[in-house]
Amino acid sequence: MRTTLRGKLLPPVLAIVFSVLLCTVALLISGDNPLDAFGAMIGQLFRGTTAVDTLNSGAVYYLAGLAVAIGFQMNLFNIGVEGQYRFAAVVAAIVGGAIALPPGIHTLVIIIVAIVAGALYALIPALLKVYRGVSEVISTIMLNAIAIGLIAYLVSTDAFGVQVGNNIATEPIPESGWMPGIPFGDNGTLFGFVFVAALVGYGYWVLLNRTRFGFELKASGESPTAATAGGVDARKMILTAMLLSGGVAGLTALPELLGRDHEYLQTSPAGYGFAGIAVALLGRNHPGGIALGAVLWAFLDKSAVSLDNVGVPQEITTIMQGAIVLSVVIAYEIVRRVELAAEQRRVGRQLGRDTSDVAAGGSV
């Protein structure tokens, strides 16, 4: 138990420490004071709406991380979360702005549309993987590029877009389709979708650890050959895993869409899908770890504005995020090798004691 806990907690801690040290060196080389920079970032968390904004953004990163983690469990690298969530957000915004339903039902329809759209966009690389042997890495990268062009067309005035000042957006979603949040006065409003994201994380945990499907999913990821020999349909597992991953990816933009923007703009934020890969790696595909990674990632984003006040470039947070991604992979491998060596030594000592006992018994 202690070894397992150490293997899960030590790598991300080492990665964060290494990232802080690397940023400290970068700040010292540039002539800035690291204590001032890090102090400003931490202090920013307690100013204005930063704390609430961090949780709101954390929910977005959390959903993206869960979508990536589902693929990782099946040993699939779904880089296409970026395209899947953006495509789903546009489709959900278009449908949400085009219908009129009672409150609650309207919101539920938008959520279902987003899940279905994300899953359908993920179905394309899944089918290519299962029936043509095409690597999901290649196909999802290509589909990300296609999604950019497809979204640009859907949001244009030639399709479903409307002119909004100097920008173009989908038709606004009526208030009946919004998801209410929890207001904290001057400290901002917490998105209601934060709690939906938490439920999705719990469902992910239950699916993997309390169901037969979760066992088969992890078994197929560990060894497809052994899983097939045990009666698991590998093709079915790939299809299901990609559909689930795409469905969760479809939820990624909904915290902002239903809680703040209520329309999809041509300038809507992008990049959440790629950040989700880093968050999933940092959290070791565990829902709790992904949650911590998502909040950390959001904190670095939201606290970056404070660096201007102390004369430090905001790009230092980008360096920190990149260093975390790089070092967490290395840290997991180092810890794995250390634990393997420790286990081998433990087994060696046990065998030595058993041999001594046998020899002593024989001499008697």
Side-chain angles (χ1 to χ4, degrees):
M1 176 65 179
R2 186 176 65 181
T3 301
T4 302
L5 187 62
R6 181 179 63 188
K8 290 181 178 179
L9 295 180
L10 190 57
V13 171
L14 289 176
I16 294 171
V17 170
F18 174 78
S19 175
V20 171
L21 291 175
L22 182 63
C23 289
T24 299
V25 173
L27 288 168
L28 289 173
I29 292 175
S30 62
D32 296 310
N33 189 329
L35 294 179
D36 289 343
F38 296 136
M41 291 174 64
I42 295 173
Q44 181 65 30
L45 186 62
F46 304 99
R47 297 192 186 99
T49 63
T50 304
V52 173
D53 290 342
T54 297
L55 291 177
N56 288 337
S57 292
V60 176
Y61 288 128
Y62 185 55
L63 290 167
L66 287 175
V68 175
I70 292 172
F72 280 164
Q73 293 289 353
M74 186 58 199
N75 205 22
L76 296 171
F77 199 173
N78 183 13
I79 301 179
V81 168
E82 177 72 15
Q84 290 153 21
Y85 98 77
R86 294 183 66 186
F87 174 75
V90 170
V91 174
I94 292 171
V95 173
I99 60 177
L101 294 171
I105 298 177
H106 195 167
T107 305
L108 182 60
V109 168
I110 293 173
I111 293 173
I112 293 173
V113 168
I115 293 173
V116 172
L120 288 177
Y121 206 69
L123 179 62
I124 301 172
L127 292 174
L128 291 173
K129 172 80 172 180
V130 169
Y131 294 105
R132 306 304 299 176
V134 178
S135 169
E136 74 280 1
V137 175
I138 302 299
S139 59
T140 52
I141 289 176
M142 296 298 101
L143 285 167
N144 281 343
I146 293 173
I148 294 173
L150 187 58
I151 291 166
Y153 169 72
L154 291 174
V155 184
S156 69
T157 53
D158 293 330
F160 301 97
V162 293
Q163 194 76 35
V164 181
N166 294 326
N167 208 338
I168 300 177
T170 58
E171 289 284 352
I173 297 174
E175 193 170 348
S176 59
W178 299 0
M179 177 167 285
I182 301 176
F184 288 93
D186 294 337
N187 295 321
T189 299
L190 185 68
F191 292 157
F193 219 89
V194 169
F195 302 99
V196 176
L199 288 175
V200 174
Y202 178 71
Y204 167 80
W205 180 84
V206 171
L207 180 70
L208 289 180
N209 298 284
R210 293 291 185 269
T211 66
R212 176 178 176 179
F213 171 79
F215 172 79
E216 292 178 348
L217 180 68
K218 292 187 287 187
S220 299
E222 290 288 337
S223 176
T225 304
T228 301
V232 178
D233 188 340
R235 286 187 171 185
K236 178 182 176 181
M237 296 308 298
I238 292 174
L239 282 171
T240 307
M242 285 296 290
L243 286 174
L244 284 174
S245 180
V248 174
L251 297 174
T252 298
L254 294 193
E256 295 177 340
L257 181 64
L258 299 181
R260 185 191 65 200
D261 300 334
H262 313 304
E263 59 188 359
Y264 192 93
L265 300 160
Q266 282 190 337
T267 56
S268 289
Y272 293 140
F274 297 125
I277 298 173
V279 170
L281 288 172
L282 186 59
R284 194 63 171 176
N285 300 329
H286 187 280
I290 295 173
L292 293 176
V295 172
L296 173 62
W297 211 262
F299 163 72
L300 292 174
D301 277 348
K302 299 304 178 183
S303 63
V305 297
S306 66
L307 295 176
D308 286 335
N309 298 330
V310 292
V312 176
Q314 293 187 22
E315 286 73 20
I316 196 68
T317 59
T318 305
I319 295 175
M320 186 174 291
Q321 289 173 332
I324 289 174
V325 176
L326 176 63
S327 55
V328 73
V329 177
I330 299 173
Y332 276 125
E333 181 62 20
I334 292 174
V335 171
R336 186 190 70 82
R337 293 188 180 187
V338 169
E339 289 188 342
L340 180 60
E343 181 67 16
Q344 290 173 340
R345 289 194 297 270
R346 188 189 66 79
V347 172
R349 287 195 297 269
Q350 184 63 42
L351 289 175
R353 283 195 295 269
D354 292 344
T355 303
S356 299
D357 292 343
V358 171
S363 62
V364 172

